[in-house]
Amino acid sequence: MTNPKDIIFKESEDLEQIFETLEYVKGPNLDEEISLKEIVSDFYPKMGFQASHLGKAVKIWKKIEEIRKNEELVVFMGYTSNMVSSGLREIIANLVKHKKVDVLVTTAGGIEEDFIKCVKPFIMGDWNLNGVELREQGINRIGNIYVPNDRYIEFETYMTKFFDELALKQKETHKVTSASEFCYELGRFMDENLGDEKEDSIIYWAYKNNIPIFCPAITDGSIGDMLYFYKKNEKETNLIIDIASDIVKLNDKAIDANKTACIVLGGSLPKHSIINANLFREGTDYAIYITTATPADGSLSGAPPEEGVSWGKIQTKADYTEIWADATIVFPILTYTVFK
């Protein structure tokens, strides 16, 4: 019988012989004068768990920025609508304003909520209020964020005018509008019809800097509701939104790039649209995922980077990391550390 002591105190391998370099687990000494940026850059990589992943994400994004100084590297950024519901909207808008990203992919909510916030802001609420009571009061809830229905009522007023302009343009040019062109034209419309509030808008800065926004599921939200009412009431309208041509535009953004990077907040359609486009160039060179989804159910939202490697959507030699965390906590820290 094996000696129990030999089982408990089994000799370990000489790690110095196995690994080329070793990082020892260590956190910051709070008795010392140290900034948040230094903690994230210097200590997160060796703190363990998700802190290490965030530390790696900082290194990857800084490397991306260094490469972009000397050569072409197209940064694809994907985000789900809840990111725009939250205060991450202003951070994403700032990245677009300063041209830190080159291609955006989002859901319908990521478009409409960005616009609505220029008209009336969302309200901080609570997780525990009664849904029936909120419904009776005309208040919609996104987690602990409230969006009263008056926001959507005013949004429809703007969108009806926008649809009229878009339909007239289609009639005059005899050209159908793609979803990405829809987003560009919406940015132009915001520039002409909204006040200073548009300065915090993702769509507005994408329009100003000619950064394309792709939204393959443009009708899956309030925009779809408004299109329904518009098409139902305006029987003679020729308004058509084409999503097929954007497949070519998005894929070509990846195919024609020298190098690419994918930064994805959340999962869903934006994530897959981006990494699938990169499949056509044998995978992206860099990837940063921030998500709360897990891989247990086989969903794309929870699929880790290694699964993307198996499909050829991320290169085998790519530099990548995934942070399992709420993006509202992690993304401000990541962007602050990289760009400040």
Side-chain angles (χ1 to χ4, degrees):
M1 179 179 178
T2 304
N3 187 330
K5 188 173 181 180
D6 292 337
I7 296 174
I8 299 300
F9 295 109
K10 176 180 172 59
E11 289 190 12
S12 58
E13 298 289 333
D14 184 357
L15 296 183
E16 281 76 5
Q17 299 297 321
I18 298 175
F19 298 101
E20 293 182 5
T21 59
L22 286 177
E23 280 278 13
Y24 295 102
V25 178
K26 185 177 177 60
N29 182 351
L30 297 183
D31 288 333
E32 299 175 356
E33 288 292 331
I34 186 170
S35 68
L36 173 62
K37 184 174 181 178
E38 289 172 322
I39 291 174
V40 177
S41 295
D42 300 338
F43 287 96
Y44 268 32
K46 50 192 176 186
M47 283 185 68
F49 308 135
Q50 296 308 301
S52 296
H53 289 215
L54 177 51
K56 185 175 182 181
V58 168
K59 290 182 177 179
I60 292 173
W61 206 339
K62 284 184 175 180
K63 184 189 295 185
I64 291 168
E65 281 296 295
E66 281 299 313
I67 293 172
R68 280 163 64 87
K69 292 177 181 178
N70 301 306
E71 59 181 290
E72 183 205 38
L73 193 162
V74 177
V75 177
F76 292 78
M77 184 170 189
Y79 52 95
T80 44
S81 65
N82 55 327
M83 306 301 165
V84 179
S85 310
S86 74
L88 292 186
R89 176 233 189 187
E90 285 72 19
I91 295 176
I92 297 170
N94 190 265
L95 293 173
V96 177
K97 177 180 179 179
H98 295 288
K99 301 180 182 180
K100 299 301 182 182
V101 294
D102 304 297
V103 179
L104 300 173
V105 182
T106 189
T107 55
I111 302 299
E112 63 207 25
E113 291 183 20
D114 181 56
F115 187 106
I116 292 170
K117 281 187 169 184
C118 293
V119 179
K120 286 189 177 181
F122 291 4
I123 299 166
M124 278 308 308
D126 191 89
W127 289 96
N128 300 314
L129 291 189
N130 186 288
V132 174
E133 293 178 0
L134 290 176
R135 181 61 182 166
E136 291 174 350
Q137 296 165 359
I139 298 173
N140 309 290
R141 183 168 75 86
I142 305 169
N144 61 348
I145 297 171
Y146 296 163
V147 190
N149 255 351
D150 65 343
R151 272 70 172 164
Y152 291 101
I153 293 170
E154 192 157 355
F155 179 56
E156 185 188 19
T157 302
Y158 279 102
M159 291 307 289
T160 300
K161 181 181 178 182
F162 174 64
F163 292 154
D164 283 342
E165 291 184 8
L166 206 58
L168 179 61
K169 183 175 182 178
Q170 288 188 0
K171 186 176 182 179
E172 292 175 345
T173 61
H174 304 288
K175 291 182 179 179
V176 175
T177 305
S178 71
S180 62
E181 291 167 342
F182 178 99
C183 295
Y184 178 83
E185 290 297 326
L186 188 59
R188 177 196 54 76
F189 179 83
M190 293 169 72
D191 192 22
E192 296 174 354
N193 292 274
L194 299 181
D196 292 341
E197 295 82 2
K198 64 177 180 283
E199 294 286 330
D200 289 330
S201 165
I202 300 166
I203 303 168
Y204 169 73
W205 284 112
Y207 159 74
K208 294 291 283 187
N209 290 330
N210 201 28
I211 293 172
I213 302 177
F214 293 95
C215 187
I218 190 72
T219 61
D220 186 28
S222 181
I223 289 175
D225 300 340
M226 305 312 167
L227 279 169
Y228 169 77
F229 292 128
Y230 185 80
K231 298 278 279 188
K232 200 77 170 166
N233 295 327
E234 301 291 334
K235 301 293 185 181
E236 302 303 317
T237 183
N238 68 331
L239 181 60
I240 300 173
I241 310 299
D242 170 31
I243 61 169
S245 61
D246 274 351
I247 295 295
V248 177
K249 293 178 184 176
L250 178 58
N251 289 351
D252 282 349
K253 286 289 183 183
I255 293 168
D256 296 339
N258 177 45
K259 292 181 179 179
T260 68
C262 300
I263 300 170
V264 182
L265 311 182
S268 178
L269 180 147
K271 177 182 177 181
H272 186 256
S273 296
I274 288 174
I275 62 174
N276 192 72
N278 277 271
L279 170 62
F280 288 83
R281 64 180 307 276
E282 297 187 14
T284 186
D285 300 274
Y286 303 93
I288 298 171
Y289 293 172
I290 303 175
T291 183
T292 54
T294 65
D297 62 355
S299 68
L300 187 281
S301 293
E306 290 81 5
E307 186 169 316
V309 173
S310 77
W311 286 90
K313 297 169 183 177
I314 297 177
Q315 292 184 15
T316 55
K317 295 182 180 180
D319 201 356
Y320 56 80
T321 190
E322 178 178 46
I323 307 165
W324 279 336
D326 182 343
T328 60
I329 299 171
V330 168
F331 197 59
I333 298 172
L334 173 58
T335 51
Y336 175 84
T337 308
V338 172
F339 295 108
K340 291 294 184 180

